[in-house]
Amino acid sequence: MLDRFRASFAALGLLAAGAVRGQDLNPLLADLARAQERAARADARDPARAAVIQARQRLIDAAPDTEPRLPGWLIEHAADTLARLADDGSDTAAIHGIPLASQRDRAAKGAADALTLLGRADRLLTAAAEAIASEGIGPESPRAKEIEQDRNVRVPFFRARAELVLAGLAQGEARRARAQSAHQSISRLALASGGAEAFRRVTLAGALLLRSNSPADARSATDEIAPLLAPADAPPPGIAVAEAWFCLVSAAARLDTLERVMPRFAEARLAPPFVPEPGRADPLLIVLAADACARALMDAGLSRADRSPEAARALLDQAADEQASLLARTDLGLSPEGVRALAFEKLADLGARAPDESSLPAVMRLALAVRLATREGRAAEAVQRLESIASGGAKGGGPWIPDALWEWAVLLSRPSSSGAPPAPAEQRRAADVLLRLAREHASHPRAPEAIAAALAFAQSLALAPGATPEDAGRYRATLGVAVTSFPRIPGIDRWRYERARVLSEGSGEELREAIGLLRALAGGPESSPDAASLYRAVLRRWLDEGWTRVASARARGDDPARDAGEILATAREAATWSGRHAPESAPAFRLDLADALVETGGSAEAVGIYRSLRAAGGGAWSARVELGLGRALVASGDRAGGFAVLREVATRLDAPGSRGPAFWHAWTILIEQLAREGRGGTITAHVRRLRGLDADLGGEPWKARIERATPK
């Protein structure tokens, strides 16, 4: 913004021309002229403007007090020093906003340096005026008029601005005195040029507002800036308009007219100078506008705390919202982290003004806790405050709970002063806090980072020597949240595999979930040898559990079709997948498929699978193949073929140590088939012999089925 200030000053004759009058200083004047030319170019940046100040400083250092142009150079140097404060809005922030520490330092030094320069210029001008008066030179002479203009216009104009900046940085009596000095310097000036008059008005209004809290001064300030907000002629400089709005908001806070002024200002912030052209905001003015509103609302809220607590809380909430609104902006030329740091620093400054922190909005308390965490030895206290904000409730954090959780976890995760990692207890707390953030606030921008950090902590704790069941449970829960709610975080396939690995030790639905997770890997279960091996193992466990359920259903006398139906889909997938990627496992999975088909009415398809397995050699499960083939043949209508296969199985297994489930299953089917054919005598003979082998007929479900088929 320096160019906007300085252009107005120079165009209005408030900066000296610096014409060459002597020979000794000509080289330095030439250096200054070249520096000014470079700085005037459209593409010139701060280094070029700094070069102007450096060149002029060399000229000032070389000039004797008797040099008649020296006062003008000093005034111009003071003007440039003040104008440079506008580069980052340090001056406006000091007067109307919430200056950062760097801005406070810069504004304090710049304003003090300008006052020093102006003081010296004033002394030289006074001496010069006395000198020409003693020489009998009249006040109408060009030299006398130039001195008079410098003494009564230029010096007071810039002195008022410098005093106003320092007033904004001061408190109490010091603020009042500085503001009064600014007021005295400029209140009686009347400048013909519109730009300079606009700056005079905002400076005077600012001085009125800073010198007292009186409604009279607030009304006078409002009157002073009114022409700038509704100009009759050419619009004033943009920064003057912005500062006029800031003055109006501050005055409204004193006059209890914020309800009328804030909507007007909200509309104004959508137009120049805050938005110079559609779609392009002025980042600095946007930040300064939020500052000015927040500061005025905060001051208004604090002033009403005793007489109207509810109204005061509402104003404090509005102040916090104004500053927090910056967090949603993407047009400030800063990264999200940069905007967050900026807004939180200002929120902490606002909160520090309150005598009772507990009455502050959550976001201010959060900002104060974040600041406290940076203080030596205050981390534990900061953790307590963050935990309080995150706890919710009447004085909880509301929408700022996830931010409090994040900052809380950051503190718990910090290495010790010696650089050692946090202790396991702190890691556990950090993992729990991060998991809560991710689980309860999955849409928050911090949530993906939170789940990633929670996973790292939880895995480290679960795999460490001496890990507890609680650590294992935390890891399992964290993995669950990650794969369910954050499918797009980097490395998600690693966590899908880990979740599947952990679940593979479980049963039922956990195994089903593990199968789904391995299928969801970017390259499928075959994406790595470990994933393929785990997939085979989980499929095997899930299918085995399914067959156990089928057997239990039979033992209870229930229809196992539902359980078999669930097995069928998985067995078909397993058979297809293993045929392509794990051929050594394919026969076993094909046998599962065939058995499931028999249980669900697909015996015709099952016959072909059994026969191919039979031809390849059944191996350790040849009896199961034969039994299944016999069942499939009987179910598909080939009674004779099935009966022969089943009788062969029953005969082959009819030996001590071999009469297991397959033996009794085969005999059960044979006896049930004989019953359907009405061959009761044959059944009785067979059952008598079988009871001689095992009075319990192999146990359930075979005993009940055989007894139901046996004639009474």
Side-chain angles (χ1 to χ4, degrees):
M1 294 193 299
L2 178 147
D3 293 334
R4 285 176 277 185
F5 268 120
R6 199 178 189 289
S8 296
F9 296 162
L12 302 166
L14 291 175
L15 300 183
V20 178
R21 296 186 186 178
Q23 297 300 316
D24 293 341
L25 299 176
N26 278 351
L28 293 174
L29 281 167
D31 288 344
L32 176 58
R34 285 191 294 270
Q36 289 173 327
E37 182 180 355
R38 287 192 295 270
R41 294 173 187 161
D43 61 349
R45 293 296 183 264
D46 188 67
R49 297 200 298 266
V52 172
I53 289 180
Q54 292 167 0
R56 190 185 296 108
Q57 185 63 59
R58 289 192 294 271
L59 182 63
I60 289 170
D61 292 342
D65 284 355
T66 55
E67 166 59 55
R69 293 164 295 177
L70 180 56
W73 295 337
L74 289 167
I75 295 170
E76 187 168 353
H77 207 46
D80 268 355
T81 299
L82 290 171
R84 287 198 74 206
L85 296 181
D87 281 353
D88 65 351
S90 293
D91 54 345
T92 305
I95 300 166
H96 302 286
I98 311 164
L100 301 172
S102 60
Q103 290 178 311
R104 293 182 66 87
D105 293 344
R106 194 162 180 261
K109 184 178 186 309
D113 288 348
L115 286 179
T116 299
L117 291 165
L118 293 168
R120 183 182 177 193
D122 192 41
R123 290 191 298 274
L124 292 174
L125 289 168
T126 299
E130 292 173 352
I132 63 172
S134 66
E135 295 172 8
I137 300 175
E140 298 302 318
S141 69
R143 176 58 179 153
K145 288 182 178 180
E146 180 181 348
I147 292 172
E148 184 68 14
Q149 177 75 0
D150 286 344
R151 288 183 68 193
N152 296 328
V153 178
R154 295 187 183 114
V155 168
F157 183 91
F158 294 115
R159 178 184 285 135
R161 184 70 180 184
E163 290 282 16
L164 186 60
V165 169
L166 293 174
L169 296 173
Q171 297 294 330
E173 179 57 29
R175 167 175 286 188
R176 191 205 66 76
R178 291 285 189 185
Q180 180 61 21
S181 176
H183 182 269
Q184 289 176 344
S185 294
I186 206 169
S187 60
R188 295 181 181 179
L189 285 182
L191 302 175
S193 299
E197 176 61 9
F199 283 114
R200 186 197 71 81
R201 285 182 176 274
V202 295
T203 300
L204 180 56
L208 287 165
L209 292 167
L210 289 178
R211 79 174 183 178
S212 77
N213 291 322
S214 75
D217 276 350
R219 283 189 288 271
S220 296
T222 301
D223 293 341
E224 199 65 46
I225 50 90
L228 306 183
L229 301 181
D233 301 318
I239 185 58
V241 173
E243 289 203 12
W245 276 111
F246 303 160
C247 288
L248 183 62
V249 170
S250 181
R254 316 274 178 85
L255 299 171
D256 287 337
T257 57
L258 281 170
E259 289 186 1
R260 295 201 305 270
V261 170
M262 292 300 289
R264 289 177 55 200
F265 189 29
E267 185 177 351
R269 287 154 78 176
L270 302 176
F274 302 98
V275 180
E277 56 190 50
R280 185 177 70 82
D282 184 315
L284 184 53
L285 289 184
I286 292 297
V287 172
L288 288 170
D291 284 4
C293 289
R295 178 169 165 173
L297 289 162
M298 188 74 183
D299 289 344
L302 293 177
S303 69
R304 290 162 176 75
D306 293 332
R307 52 190 170 91
S308 181
E310 289 189 11
R313 279 194 296 272
L315 289 165
L316 296 183
D317 285 341
Q318 290 180 61
D321 290 344
E322 277 289 345
Q323 198 56 235
S325 69
L326 297 177
L327 296 171
R329 301 200 68 115
T330 59
D331 54 358
L332 301 181
L334 296 172
S335 67
E337 279 301 314
V339 174
R340 190 176 192 281
L342 175 73
F344 268 55
E345 185 66 21
K346 291 173 180 290
L347 283 163
D349 279 344
L350 281 175
R353 300 181 180 205
D356 179 13
E357 183 178 327
S358 65
S359 65
L360 292 174
V363 67
M364 285 187 190
R365 289 185 282 121
L366 174 60
L368 286 168
V370 171
R371 173 180 286 180
L372 185 64
T374 65
R375 305 288 195 260
E376 185 70 27
R378 306 292 296 276
E381 185 181 349
V383 164
Q384 290 178 349
R385 295 192 183 189
L386 292 167
E387 185 174 2
S388 173
I389 296 168
S391 67
K395 292 188 177 180
W400 299 103
I401 286 177
D403 294 270
L405 289 169
W406 175 260
E407 296 295 342
W408 182 9
V410 167
L411 280 181
L412 293 171
S413 308
R414 285 202 309 201
S416 67
S417 56
S418 63
E426 297 299 286
Q427 292 184 42
R428 290 184 175 96
R429 290 184 70 197
D432 290 340
V433 171
L434 291 163
L435 177 59
R436 179 186 163 193
L437 196 168
R439 176 188 284 144
E440 298 178 8
H441 308 278
S443 62
H444 191 271
R446 289 288 193 190
E449 292 178 84
I451 194 62
L455 285 165
F457 278 126
Q459 184 184 53
S460 175
L461 291 164
L463 301 181
T468 66
E470 179 189 2
D471 293 328
R474 178 186 296 106
Y475 188 35
R476 175 187 287 246
T478 306
L479 287 167
V481 173
V483 301
T484 302
S485 302
F486 300 92
R488 293 183 177 83
I489 61 171
I492 187 60
D493 274 353
R494 171 191 175 192
W495 303 118
R496 286 185 177 125
Y497 172 84
E498 275 293 289
R499 172 75 172 169
R501 182 187 65 77
V502 171
L503 293 175
S504 70
E505 301 168 3
S507 61
E509 290 303 314
E510 291 182 341
L511 294 175
R512 188 195 296 273
E513 182 185 345
I515 291 170
L517 288 167
L518 292 167
R519 287 174 179 167
L521 296 176
E526 66 277 10
S527 58
S528 73
D530 286 344
S533 176
L534 181 61
Y535 190 52
R536 287 196 302 271
V538 175
L539 286 170
R540 182 74 273 145
R541 287 197 63 185
W542 194 90
L543 290 169
D544 288 347
E545 280 196 2
W547 291 123
T548 299
R549 292 194 299 274
V550 168
S552 297
R554 280 204 182 98
R556 296 189 306 269
D558 297 334
D559 184 358
R562 185 179 67 83
D563 291 313
E566 292 182 352
I567 292 173
L568 177 61
T570 300
R572 191 179 294 281
E573 169 64 21
T576 302
W577 178 84
S578 60
R580 296 172 181 168
H581 305 292
E584 71 281 4
S585 301
F589 288 133
R590 293 184 68 216
L591 179 54
D592 288 309
L593 173 59
D595 287 348
L597 286 165
V598 172
E599 296 288 352
T600 56
S603 295
E605 181 184 352
V607 168
I609 298 173
Y610 285 128
R611 282 177 170 161
S612 68
L613 291 171
R614 191 186 201 190
W621 25 262
S622 60
R624 182 178 163 193
V625 172
E626 297 294 333
L627 176 63
L629 177 58
R631 294 175 65 206
L633 287 169
V634 169
S636 61
D638 185 358
R639 174 195 169 281
F643 208 87
V645 172
L646 291 169
R647 187 58 185 266
E648 179 185 344
V649 172
T651 301
R652 178 155 42 89
L653 296 177
D654 194 359
S658 299
R659 298 185 188 104
F663 172 81
W664 293 103
H665 196 170
W667 268 113
T668 299
I669 297 173
L670 287 168
I671 289 171
E672 287 173 339
Q673 184 61 33
L674 289 170
R676 282 191 286 272
E677 295 175 3
R679 298 170 63 181
T682 303
I683 294 172
T684 300
H686 282 308
V687 171
R688 185 181 302 116
R689 189 182 74 84
L690 291 171
R691 285 191 187 279
L693 298 175
D694 181 357
D696 204 29
L697 297 175
E700 298 300 346
W702 322 121
K703 178 183 178 183
R705 290 173 62 181
I706 291 172
E707 288 179 341
R708 280 196 299 271
T710 302
K712 301 296 189 272

